[in-house]
Amino acid sequence: MRRATSVLLVAVSLGIVGGCGGVKTTLPGDTAATAGSREPGLVAAVGWPEAIPDVIPPLPGQITSVMASDSHVRLFCEGLTEATVRDYLDQLTSGGFALEYIVYETAVDPDRARERAAAGEWDAVQAIRGDLSLRLEFGGGTGTLDITGIPLDEFDPPTSWPAEWAGIPAPTSLVIDQVISLGGTGPIVEARYENDADIARYEEELVAAGFTVADRSFNQDHQIISIRVTDFDRDVVLWTYPGGRLRITVTPATSTSPPEFVATTEFPTWLPPVPGGELITATEGPGGGFAAVVVIGQGHTVTEYVRVLEAAGYAESDTMLAGYILTDGERTVTIFGDDTLPPPRQISIAVTVP
């Protein structure tokens, strides 16, 4: 099927994978976002958008998602065949579009691209009619269709809090950028935040609504990576991304009863805290179980904490590489970490009860 009487060679860079298994190309307007511009984002889940003018025939197959930016709309499609793509190109031609077939050329093997072009093979098709520009890429049963030259106002992403998330409070400290519905997996809310305090305020709002913090994770700079809260019916997960972006998802609860270990912000009264240590994450369980991640600051050592434990009645009960195991006869404290690492040192503490 991939035959054309005239094929245009387009130079591209290696290593940038496109949406349908080929090499990603750049459309007009695909530049870095400027002030006030809209970054590309999902705006629809399935189906041919009604906002696309009738002069552009619907692409056959299943439209799985639609993305829009300030310059163009990109549709992702599955269930394409060579026959349906050929028929679609015929429809474009009958509708007054001029087609230009494209072969991607790389610096690694430019001769191969010329050979394919001479044989009438192609990687993409550019279709032009007046101000309208379409680019179709197809391979392996999937494809992408980029459209420029159409009004984009109707492609603004929805920002309303999902109705199906009744009982889950919308954040007052975050700015919702878009709500994505992916069909069958539930919505995804993408938001922006200024700092971790904004996320912490939303966590407080969720707790006030009856949710329990199930776990948290932080990076080496003590910044939030994720937070999961639950009401034992649904889990709400907050995931952070570079650039102050946050993704909120809701899934069925992983546990229908309160966990044995619950998050805490301090050491238990029976365990001495780490000198010069900053508690990053901690959980406390019944019967004396405890787990924590602690960062030890400049001027303090893991050995110093071992001496503090010994003064509190703990004695080293076993040896381990890059760590210590101590017990007071009732609890066993395992410390993962040593003083060979440069400060600040991150250690893990696990307390078990035999």
Side-chain angles (χ1 to χ4, degrees), residues 307-322:
R307 301 292 174 260
V308 169
L309 291 173
E310 290 175 340
Y314 289 85
E316 193 163 357
S317 62
D318 201 351
T319 59
M320 64 177 292
L321 184 65

Side-chain angles (χ1 to χ4, degrees), residues 6 86 99 117 124 140 145 163 176-177 203 210 220 228 233 273 284 314-315 335 338 342-343:
S6 177
R86 182 171 56 246
L99 304 187
L145 181 66
I176 297 177
D177 279 334
E203 177 189 319
Q220 66 272 18
R228 179 170 63 91
D233 178 34
E284 188 173 2
Y314 289 85
I335 303 171
D338 59 42

Side-chain angles (χ1 to χ4, degrees), residues 1-4 6-12 18-25 85 89 100-106 109-110 112-117 119-126 135-140 142-146:
M1 189 276 292
R2 294 188 169 219
R3 303 287 173 180
S6 177
V7 181
L8 174 69
L9 293 178
V10 175
V12 296
C20 60
V23 182
K24 182 179 178 181
T25 58
V85 169
L89 297 178
E100 186 172 54
Y101 295 83
I102 299 170
V103 170
Y104 298 139
E105 179 184 49
T106 68
D109 191 5
R112 173 58 182 160
R114 296 187 182 96
E115 292 171 0
R116 294 180 61 228
E121 299 180 7
W122 52 271
D123 295 306
V125 178
Q126 189 86 19
R135 177 171 294 196
L136 174 65
E137 296 185 6
F138 162 69
T142 65
T144 58
L145 181 66
D146 292 279

